[in-house]
Amino acid sequence: MNAPTKIETTLKDWETDQEVRWCPGCGDYAILKAVQRTLPQLGCDPANTVFVSGIGCSSRFPYYIESYGFHTIHGRAPAVATGVKLANPDLDVWLVTGDGDGLSIGGNHMMHVLRRNVNMQIMLFNNEIYGLTKGQYSPTSRIGTSSPSTPAGSIDSPANPCAFALGAGARFVARGFDVSKNLPDVLKAAHAHQGAAFIEIFQNCIVYNKDVFNDFAAPKGADDRQLWLEHGEPMLFAGGAKGLAIDMETLDLKVVDVVDGDWEAAGVLRHNVTNRTIAHMLVELTFGPFPMPLGVIYDDPAPVFEQAVTAENRRLSEGKEPNLAALLAKGQTWTVEA
Amino acid sequence: MATQTTAPRSDLSKQDAIVVRFAGDSGDGMQLTGGQFTLSTALAGNDLATFPDFPAEIRAPQGTLFGVSAFQINFGSREVNTAGDAPDVLVAMNPAALKVNLGALKPGGLVIVDTGEFTKRNLDKAKYAVSPLEDDTLAPFDVLELDISALTIEAVKPFGLGNKDALRCKNMWTLGLALWMFDRPRGPLKDWLNAKFAKKPDIAAANIAALDAGHAYGETAELAGPLRQVHLDPVLSEPGLYRTITGAEAVSLGLVAGARLLRLPMFFGGYPITPASAILHHLARLKEFNVTTFQAEDEIAAICAAIGASYAGSLGVTSSSGPGIALKGEAMGLAIMTELPLVIVNSQRGGPSTGLPTKTEQSDLYQAVYGRNGDAPMPVIAACSPSDAFECAIEACKIAVDYMTPVMLLTDGYIANASEPWKVPDPDAFERAPAQFLEAKNGPDDTLLPFKRDAKGARPWIKPGTPGLMHRIGGIEKQVDTGHIDYAPDNHQAMTDARKNKIGQIAVPDQEVCLGETSGTLAVVGWGSTYGPIHQAVSRARAKGLSVSHIHVRHIWPLPANLGELLDQFDHVLMPEMNTGQFKTVIRDQFLIDATPLTKTSGQPFAIAEMEAAIVKYFDGEAGNEGGEVPVNDGQLPSPVGE
């Protein structure tokens, strides 16, 4: 987001000469294309862009983007990216992680990069499975997920990435999915946000967790199951026949029918991306009784960490001469005469 | 009030060095007292070495044995290398401090006790059935019994402090007495108190009154009691400007200097851990030197952020102690694999696991040299004293950037906390070599080769943001020159060799002998903070005419090229270490030399006498009794009192 000047590029400029090594049909291909399509539209400069990733299928991403890239170690990408931003706040940093990398082994770092509000785009590819290690269940796998490490089905409760992000103090939380045509718009909103922008991207693992998101991501009936949020617009789905409203008795969200397009009469909420309370409700909705909320759920900027650090460093340096000789001779000294 | 026993007393005025230990409750301000006494000693021109010893608990229950905090200083009119074996003077502020430390005192030494604290309750807490002041416990010593508590309250009465605040001035009363005893001016201390309590002039005045009262007490007591004033002449040091410095300060200043000599901004990622935190604290106050400090969420994030900063063109530095270094291991591998500069400071402490957080040990040498997955060679430098740590830190920065590699700098709890006089160096005396970044493509046909090596085997440093040099790096094996992912067998062989050779070829100066000849009967080979006791013990053995030399190794990895040949010139090689013989293993492995370990793992530094006894065994005509484990020596320095 800090690119000082906009640069003219095409999708081709963001492709590397490296052979892409994801499984044929993997959702990662679609996300890669969406990113490569979005970067030119944002006017990003490849020389000023850094993709940082951890370990896992998703974390191979930097090798396929013609920019600076750092494929780090498992779970630690947020920490490495924080160092990059503190050393050079002008770099435009994108972080690529997965559900295992970002919420299991790297859950601690994810919490802190969000809490500190380091200015970067964090794309968490959620496929609800460990792909690269051959199919073990992950911290986002649903209860009952059968995998090599849970042959009788997993029994632990899954983590909810967007609820985690909000709980950690994120000031931008959005959702999309791999083949969604709306994904570039979500990425653009994340890029426009100053601070840590968390994007959960549902991603289809064709080999180990095939079509696990089909219940809402499949094109057929999508309109009934997807709620695309837009700031200032009513929370409508099912072709405008249904919407979300506040249940005044439970102080929670409820689905209401909209008659003759009169959503106001039905009490349907207008989406306000700065409303943190509603954001909490949206990320906690149970899919099934409710549609899947997608798009920008929350966007309310707060002071950015690296800018605060830079300002503090400047403030503490003001009027102080960086004189090394004087520093070494600081404190009480004595002289031994020749 | 002062009583004199019949024990034969030491005559301090005939000694050229004196060891004093201040011991009290951890809330009594003993470390501060010791620190200020150290400063006055330095200002008086004596050489000195200190050993602060404090419990891991911040405020251990008052009056308990495990809550005892002590500060030992050895100072003299000659060169001093260690904090001293046994104290000549012990100041015990309560029964627990007396109990823990009395065993250390030299027979005939002077013990000063605050009788005001020898209450039934405190005696119980110290597990004394009978007051040691009332039986023959103190018979072997010269005893000065003073009600310091009451004397202090009396002295600060005009300032209207509450009893609790008044008693907090006790350490200043004691310091005043000590300053009188060793003929030191009070001026610098008063300046310091006035500055420290600038916003609370009453507290400053009360402390100064206590200080003056302690000093005046000495003058009066000299007339009748066992107290005598002692004067030690200044040491004839090299001319120049001096200050005192602890290892943690020296490392911090060395890092700042190292980064500036390379013209790089420094990024320091740290996580609180004893005894390494002091470095983070020092650097956090030096922002004007282009230093960014970052207290990370954990040890792993601290090193990873430093790696990210190095990648972006800063000099990344991280620091920790044993357990934290273990957590950083995988990230060190990443820095080795991506060939980025990084300095890792390890202030070693007793281990394994949490071990002895506030005690000293040298047991991370294996971890430093070998402790990573894969073939992961990394340079290791060990500082031998607080002041040496300054130069070592500068060298660590330079090697990291010259060779594009992480470097580990080893210190330990002793070096980090101990202070010594330091001749302030001239920063211009060090080589200024601005770091180079790649600015244009370096391969044939307008290609970029991020892993093309220079004559030293180092790859170029490429800052993100540089136009046209976009490339990807990571922890996966990379192709020679291009840096693309490459799992091919011959490529991994070639890159493993390249990483090994790069570190193996680092220009390390030849090993010198720091005391004695370059050949002979016995070489005592040390590294790190054992320098002091080895040096003194070898010096004493040589005075007896024994053929002994002291060799102290700074470059643990890679080792100096001539070291094997040098050690071959001696009949025997003895290797004292505060571990179970780790460097000994490296030396045996690298040079096939029959080095004998002398080990000590009690959390205490070696005593000179222990070292001397081990040396003498090579000359006593009794074969096969050399080396071994030095038993715990309760009398030497305060040991952790376990509960």
Side-chain angles (χ1 to χ4, degrees):
Chain A
M1 183 53 231
N2 289 303
T5 48
K6 295 207 171 194
I7 301 282
E8 291 260 341
T9 58
T10 64
L11 186 150
K12 284 269 166 231
D13 292 324
W14 294 91
E15 288 177 349
T16 63
D17 56 359
Q18 296 298 294
E19 192 186 330
V20 183
R21 297 191 188 195
W22 290 312
C23 308
C26 175
D28 287 349
Y29 284 94
I31 304 172
L32 177 63
K33 274 281 174 280
V35 171
Q36 285 170 333
R37 201 174 297 129
T38 307
L39 291 167
Q41 294 173 22
L42 290 169
C44 293
D45 177 358
N48 202 52
T49 303
V50 185
F51 277 79
V52 183
S53 65
I55 292 293
C57 292
S58 60
S59 289
R60 292 296 183 93
F61 202 91
Y63 290 111
Y64 312 131
I65 294 271
E66 184 58 39
S67 70
Y68 284 92
F70 198 165
H71 180 214
T72 71
I73 45 179
H74 206 9
R76 319 304 171 197
V80 174
T82 299
V84 170
K85 283 298 277 187
L86 284 171
N88 185 355
D90 291 337
L91 294 171
D92 188 6
V93 174
W94 296 75
L95 195 131
V96 190
T97 184
D99 40 315
D101 188 61
L103 289 177
S104 198
I105 193 167
N108 187 34
H109 308 303
M110 184 58 75
M111 171 167 93
H112 291 281
V113 75
L114 294 171
R115 163 184 79 78
R116 290 194 180 101
N117 202 27
V118 188
N119 190 12
M120 64 177 83
Q121 295 73 245
I122 301 169
M123 298 190 288
L124 185 142
F125 298 6
N126 182 9
N127 58 11
E128 298 188 1
I129 208 80
Y130 281 91
L132 207 54
T133 50
K134 303 204 185 331
Q136 299 83 357
Y137 86 116
S138 90
T140 55
S141 295
R142 295 162 209 186
I143 290 175
T145 299
S146 173
S147 82
S149 57
T150 52
S154 62
I155 52 176
D156 40 338
S157 183
N160 175 337
C162 287
F164 173 92
L166 267 182
R171 309 298 302 190
F172 181 100
V173 175
R175 258 198 203 129
F177 61 93
D178 45 15
V179 295
S180 164
K181 65 176 184 350
N182 295 337
L183 187 56
D185 288 338
V186 175
L187 296 175
K188 281 180 212 163
H191 194 258
H193 175 86
Q194 293 287 314
F198 181 87
I199 316 145
E200 177 186 20
I201 304 173
F202 297 113
Q203 173 246 321
N204 188 20
C205 174
I206 198 100
V207 175
Y208 295 109
N209 219 11
K210 192 166 185 254
D211 297 339
V212 74
F213 304 114
N214 258 10
D215 44 6
F216 66 84
K220 196 164 177 245
D223 197 44
D224 293 342
R225 298 176 192 135
Q226 298 174 10
L227 169 64
W228 282 94
L229 297 160
E230 241 177 283
H231 183 64
E233 297 297 321
M235 296 183 187
L236 293 170
F237 62 105
K242 289 179 176 180
L244 293 189
I246 292 275
D247 183 328
M248 293 312 287
E249 270 181 31
T250 61
L251 289 182
D252 208 344
L253 294 174
K254 65 178 177 185
V255 174
V256 292
D257 291 320
V258 177
V259 183
D260 296 335
D262 192 352
W263 57 270
E264 279 180 306
V268 172
L269 289 168
R270 234 185 239 279
H271 185 48
N272 175 359
V273 290
T274 65
N275 188 326
R276 196 170 179 84
T277 307
I278 298 293
H280 274 289
M281 291 180 181
L282 286 168
V283 299
E284 292 284 358
L285 289 182
T286 310
F287 178 74
F290 289 93
M292 178 59 74
L294 295 160
V296 180
I297 297 167
Y298 180 65
D299 181 0
D300 188 15
V304 170
F305 180 62
E306 70 272 20
Q307 287 171 8
V309 170
T310 307
E312 181 75 346
N313 284 353
R314 202 178 300 128
R315 188 179 70 79
L316 293 172
S317 305
E318 247 164 44
K320 290 187 191 165
E321 182 69 29
N323 182 335
L324 189 56
L327 174 68
L328 300 184
K330 217 172 162 183
Q332 273 173 296
T333 57
W334 66 98
T335 304
V336 174
E337 304 292 345
Chain B
M1 234 181 289
T3 60
Q4 193 172 359
T5 68
T6 52
R9 52 187 295 192
S10 321
D11 188 351
L12 297 180
S13 64
K14 292 203 172 120
Q15 295 181 201
D16 59 3
I18 297 169
V19 180
V20 177
R21 186 184 298 178
F22 298 95
D25 201 63
S26 53
D28 281 342
M30 289 297 101
Q31 301 305 321
L32 189 145
T33 306
Q36 290 302 315
F37 187 77
T38 300
L39 190 62
S40 82
T41 302
L43 293 172
N46 295 138
D47 197 14
L48 66 93
T50 70
F51 186 81
D53 185 273
F54 43 85
E57 294 76 14
I58 298 301
R59 279 288 158 88
Q62 218 177 354
T64 55
L65 292 168
F66 60 89
V68 172
S69 170
F71 187 100
Q72 182 162 314
I73 175 168
N74 182 9
F75 56 99
S77 54
R78 57 153 169 86
E79 189 189 333
V80 168
N81 298 117
T82 78
D85 289 3
D88 299 293
V89 179
L90 169 66
V91 179
M93 302 300 284
N94 69 5
L98 184 71
K99 185 155 206 180
V100 172
N101 292 284
L102 190 64
L105 192 60
K106 245 184 216 165
L110 173 67
V111 53
I112 300 172
V113 292
D114 178 5
T115 56
E117 289 289 325
F118 279 65
T119 59
K120 169 87 176 63
R121 195 175 137 81
N122 281 345
L123 289 165
D124 285 348
K125 280 192 199 163
K127 303 197 165 43
Y128 273 122
V130 179
S131 170
L133 307 179
E134 284 159 18
D135 60 12
D136 58 359
T137 307
L138 301 179
F141 311 105
D142 222 354
V143 186
L144 191 58
E145 290 181 23
L146 303 169
D147 191 345
I148 297 175
S149 302
L151 289 163
T152 303
I153 289 174
E154 186 62 29
V156 303
K157 215 176 213 167
F159 303 94
L161 303 180
N163 214 38
K164 200 175 156 197
D165 280 341
L167 282 173
R168 292 186 70 166
C169 301
K170 262 193 321 190
N171 60 341
M172 284 300 132
W173 195 98
T174 312
L175 193 51
L177 180 65
L179 292 183
W180 171 82
M181 241 182 115
F182 299 103
D183 193 18
R184 305 277 168 69
R186 280 160 287 166
L189 184 56
K190 288 182 181 178
D191 293 345
W192 179 80
L193 283 167
N194 280 324
K196 183 175 165 72
F197 296 111
K199 288 179 185 155
K200 295 175 184 166
D202 271 8
I203 302 283
N207 275 289
I208 289 169
L211 182 78
D212 286 341
H215 194 269
Y217 185 89
E219 281 174 4
T220 320
E222 187 183 22
L223 303 173
L227 217 50
R228 290 280 178 279
Q229 196 172 37
V230 181
H231 179 84
L232 287 180
D233 286 330
V235 173
L236 294 173
S237 312
E238 213 180 310
L241 186 69
Y242 284 78
R243 62 173 280 189
T244 60
I245 195 159
T246 66
E249 285 171 330
V251 167
S252 310
L253 295 178
L255 290 170
V256 169
R260 285 187 84 74
L261 292 167
L262 293 158
R263 260 197 227 143
L264 290 172
M266 190 212 303
F267 176 92
F268 184 92
Y271 182 78
I273 184 169
T274 302
S277 305
I279 298 171
L280 172 60
H281 305 167
H282 285 301
L283 291 172
R285 294 173 173 277
L286 299 177
K287 299 284 157 70
E288 69 269 30
F289 289 91
N290 214 349
V291 173
T292 296
T293 55
F294 174 60
Q295 182 179 316
E297 58 269 28
D298 63 21
E299 296 283 2
I300 299 170
I303 185 171
C304 284
I307 290 171
S310 278
Y311 171 62
S314 289
L315 177 61
V317 181
T318 189
S319 150
S320 191
S321 185
I325 295 293
L327 284 166
K328 294 180 196 288
E330 187 195 7
M332 285 179 215
L334 178 68
I336 289 168
M337 195 63 160
T338 52
E339 304 191 39
L340 286 169
L342 180 72
V343 176
I344 305 139
V345 183
N346 181 357
S347 305
Q348 301 167 93
R349 68 190 212 188
S353 187
T354 307
L356 307 172
T358 60
K359 310 295 170 188
T360 197
E361 208 163 88
Q362 297 181 301
S363 48
D364 285 353
L365 187 129
Y366 285 160
Q367 181 173 230
V369 177
Y370 306 121
R372 290 163 295 280
N373 65 303
D375 281 304
M378 190 169 84
V380 179
I381 299 175
C384 74
S385 70
S387 56
D388 186 50
F390 177 75
E391 274 185 38
C392 287
I394 291 178
E395 192 180 4
C397 296
K398 185 159 165 48
I399 290 176
V401 170
D402 280 356
Y403 294 88
M404 294 293 284
T405 178
V407 177
M408 189 177 287
L409 170 58
L410 291 175
T411 73
D412 59 32
Y414 177 74
I415 292 176
N417 292 322
S419 61
E420 63 179 11
W422 183 47
K423 184 166 181 280
V424 177
D426 175 8
D428 293 334
F430 294 90
E431 188 195 342
R432 217 169 265 273
Q436 303 293 319
F437 293 94
L438 192 69
E439 299 294 343
K441 287 181 179 166
N442 60 345
D445 307 322
D446 197 34
T447 54
L448 173 67
L449 298 175
F451 283 80
K452 183 181 169 185
R453 293 172 194 285
D454 65 12
K456 302 188 302 295
R459 79 174 187 96
W461 195 356
I462 311 169
K463 252 195 281 198
T466 311
L469 301 189
M470 290 79 73
H471 67 287
R472 275 63 56 191
I473 61 169
I476 295 187
E477 185 59 285
K478 286 161 295 294
Q479 198 172 60
V480 170
D481 291 344
T482 68
H484 296 320
I485 292 181
D486 192 339
Y487 299 130
D490 57 346
N491 182 71
H492 180 53
Q493 181 74 56
M495 286 298 270
T496 301
D497 292 346
R499 288 186 289 264
K500 178 170 182 277
N501 293 339
K502 177 175 85 167
I503 302 307
Q505 287 163 14
I506 289 174
V508 165
D510 269 355
Q511 182 64 47
E512 289 177 1
V513 175
C514 59
L515 185 60
E517 295 74 32
T518 53
S519 64
T521 306
L522 177 65
V524 185
V525 180
W527 66 278
S529 73
T530 52
Y531 178 87
I534 295 177
H535 209 69
Q536 288 291 336
V538 169
S539 170
R540 287 185 194 176
R542 289 179 57 79
K544 290 181 197 156
L546 304 181
S547 168
V548 190
S549 296
H550 176 199
I551 294 170
H552 215 74
V553 182
R554 174 191 278 189
H555 298 94
I556 305 294
W557 200 269
L559 290 161
N562 70 327
L563 183 59
E565 220 171 283
L566 176 63
L567 297 183
D568 273 337
Q569 307 307 310
F570 292 87
D571 299 339
H572 304 283
V573 172
L574 177 68
M575 300 193 59
E577 290 178 84
M578 293 186 288
N579 58 44
T580 56
Q582 299 189 5
F583 193 39
K584 170 268 307 170
T585 307
V586 176
I587 293 293
R588 283 186 183 178
D589 168 59
Q590 293 297 305
F591 303 123
L592 291 175
I593 281 172
D594 183 19
T596 304
L598 178 71
T599 68
K600 183 166 184 180
T601 53
S602 54
Q604 311 161 313
F606 280 98
I608 301 167
E610 292 165 349
M611 200 78 84
E612 209 183 343
I615 291 171
V616 168
K617 285 182 181 174
Y618 282 87
F619 302 90
D620 63 2
E622 215 180 299
N625 66 340
E626 301 89 356
E629 192 177 302
V630 174
V632 174
N633 175 0
D634 280 330
Q636 180 221 336
L637 279 162
S639 59
V641 177
E643 289 285 310

mmCIF file of all heavy atoms in Angstrom, chain B residues 295-309:
data_model
loop_
_atom_site.group_PDB
_atom_site.id
_atom_site.type_symbol
_atom_site.label_atom_id
_atom_site.label_comp_id
_atom_site.label_asym_id
_atom_site.label_seq_id
_atom_site.Cartn_x
_atom_site.Cartn_y
_atom_site.Cartn_z
ATOM 1 N N GLN B 295 10.813 -5.702 20.888
ATOM 2 C CA GLN B 295 10.555 -6.786 21.837
ATOM 3 C C GLN B 295 9.486 -7.673 21.226
ATOM 4 O O GLN B 295 8.319 -7.306 21.149
ATOM 5 C CB GLN B 295 10.116 -6.256 23.197
ATOM 6 C CG GLN B 295 9.908 -7.402 24.188
ATOM 7 C CD GLN B 295 9.500 -6.912 25.561
ATOM 8 O OE1 GLN B 295 10.051 -5.954 26.081
ATOM 9 N NE2 GLN B 295 8.533 -7.594 26.159
ATOM 10 N N ALA B 296 9.901 -8.849 20.798
ATOM 11 C CA ALA B 296 9.018 -9.736 20.046
ATOM 12 C C ALA B 296 8.134 -10.544 20.978
ATOM 13 O O ALA B 296 8.300 -10.519 22.198
ATOM 14 C CB ALA B 296 9.847 -10.658 19.169
ATOM 15 N N GLU B 297 7.190 -11.298 20.385
ATOM 16 C CA GLU B 297 6.268 -12.113 21.181
ATOM 17 C C GLU B 297 6.933 -13.376 21.713
ATOM 18 O O GLU B 297 6.449 -13.991 22.650
ATOM 19 C CB GLU B 297 5.019 -12.479 20.371
ATOM 20 C CG GLU B 297 5.278 -13.245 19.075
ATOM 21 C CD GLU B 297 5.443 -12.327 17.862
ATOM 22 O OE1 GLU B 297 5.888 -11.179 18.049
ATOM 23 O OE2 GLU B 297 5.126 -12.775 16.740
ATOM 24 N N ASP B 298 8.029 -13.784 21.111
ATOM 25 C CA ASP B 298 8.768 -14.937 21.634
ATOM 26 C C ASP B 298 10.157 -14.944 21.008
ATOM 27 O O ASP B 298 10.482 -14.090 20.181
ATOM 28 C CB ASP B 298 8.007 -16.259 21.398
ATOM 29 C CG ASP B 298 7.795 -16.613 19.936
ATOM 30 O OD1 ASP B 298 8.532 -16.093 19.085
ATOM 31 O OD2 ASP B 298 6.880 -17.408 19.650
ATOM 32 N N GLU B 299 10.967 -15.901 21.433
ATOM 33 C CA GLU B 299 12.355 -15.967 20.970
ATOM 34 C C GLU B 299 12.430 -16.196 19.464
ATOM 35 O O GLU B 299 13.312 -15.685 18.780
ATOM 36 C CB GLU B 299 13.084 -17.119 21.685
ATOM 37 C CG GLU B 299 13.208 -16.922 23.191
ATOM 38 C CD GLU B 299 14.295 -15.924 23.559
ATOM 39 O OE1 GLU B 299 14.937 -15.359 22.657
ATOM 40 O OE2 GLU B 299 14.499 -15.715 24.768
ATOM 41 N N ILE B 300 11.472 -17.010 18.975
ATOM 42 C CA ILE B 300 11.482 -17.349 17.549
ATOM 43 C C ILE B 300 11.172 -16.099 16.730
ATOM 44 O O ILE B 300 11.834 -15.809 15.728
ATOM 45 C CB ILE B 300 10.457 -18.470 17.268
ATOM 46 C CG1 ILE B 300 10.826 -19.727 18.058
ATOM 47 C CG2 ILE B 300 10.386 -18.765 15.785
ATOM 48 C CD1 ILE B 300 9.750 -20.805 18.046
ATOM 49 N N ALA B 301 10.163 -15.354 17.163
ATOM 50 C CA ALA B 301 9.807 -14.132 16.443
ATOM 51 C C ALA B 301 10.951 -13.121 16.509
ATOM 52 O O ALA B 301 11.180 -12.373 15.557
ATOM 53 C CB ALA B 301 8.531 -13.526 17.028
ATOM 54 N N ALA B 302 11.676 -13.101 17.623
ATOM 55 C CA ALA B 302 12.782 -12.148 17.773
ATOM 56 C C ALA B 302 13.844 -12.395 16.703
ATOM 57 O O ALA B 302 14.303 -11.460 16.037
ATOM 58 C CB ALA B 302 13.391 -12.259 19.169
ATOM 59 N N ILE B 303 14.211 -13.650 16.509
ATOM 60 C CA ILE B 303 15.243 -13.924 15.491
ATOM 61 C C ILE B 303 14.651 -13.800 14.090
ATOM 62 O O ILE B 303 15.302 -13.295 13.177
ATOM 63 C CB ILE B 303 15.924 -15.298 15.705
ATOM 64 C CG1 ILE B 303 17.071 -15.481 14.694
ATOM 65 C CG2 ILE B 303 14.956 -16.457 15.625
ATOM 66 C CD1 ILE B 303 17.945 -16.687 14.934
ATOM 67 N N CYS B 304 13.395 -14.229 13.914
ATOM 68 C CA CYS B 304 12.794 -14.159 12.575
ATOM 69 C C CYS B 304 12.643 -12.705 12.123
ATOM 70 O O CYS B 304 12.879 -12.381 10.959
ATOM 71 C CB CYS B 304 11.463 -14.888 12.545
ATOM 72 S SG CYS B 304 11.656 -16.684 12.515
ATOM 73 N N ALA B 305 12.257 -11.826 13.030
ATOM 74 C CA ALA B 305 12.145 -10.412 12.680
ATOM 75 C C ALA B 305 13.524 -9.862 12.324
ATOM 76 O O ALA B 305 13.666 -9.065 11.389
ATOM 77 C CB ALA B 305 11.530 -9.624 13.825
ATOM 78 N N ALA B 306 14.557 -10.310 13.064
ATOM 79 C CA ALA B 306 15.919 -9.856 12.759
ATOM 80 C C ALA B 306 16.340 -10.347 11.367
ATOM 81 O O ALA B 306 16.990 -9.615 10.611
ATOM 82 C CB ALA B 306 16.896 -10.350 13.827
ATOM 83 N N ILE B 307 15.938 -11.570 11.021
ATOM 84 C CA ILE B 307 16.248 -12.101 9.688
ATOM 85 C C ILE B 307 15.511 -11.278 8.622
ATOM 86 O O ILE B 307 16.083 -10.911 7.598
ATOM 87 C CB ILE B 307 15.866 -13.598 9.602
ATOM 88 C CG1 ILE B 307 16.825 -14.435 10.465
ATOM 89 C CG2 ILE B 307 15.894 -14.090 8.152
ATOM 90 C CD1 ILE B 307 16.415 -15.893 10.620
ATOM 91 N N GLY B 308 14.246 -10.957 8.890
ATOM 92 C CA GLY B 308 13.480 -10.135 7.953
ATOM 93 C C GLY B 308 14.131 -8.773 7.763
ATOM 94 O O GLY B 308 14.203 -8.251 6.644
ATOM 95 N N ALA B 309 14.641 -8.199 8.864
ATOM 96 C CA ALA B 309 15.289 -6.889 8.786
ATOM 97 C C ALA B 309 16.591 -6.985 7.990
ATOM 98 O O ALA B 309 16.902 -6.098 7.183
ATOM 99 C CB ALA B 309 15.548 -6.354 10.187
#
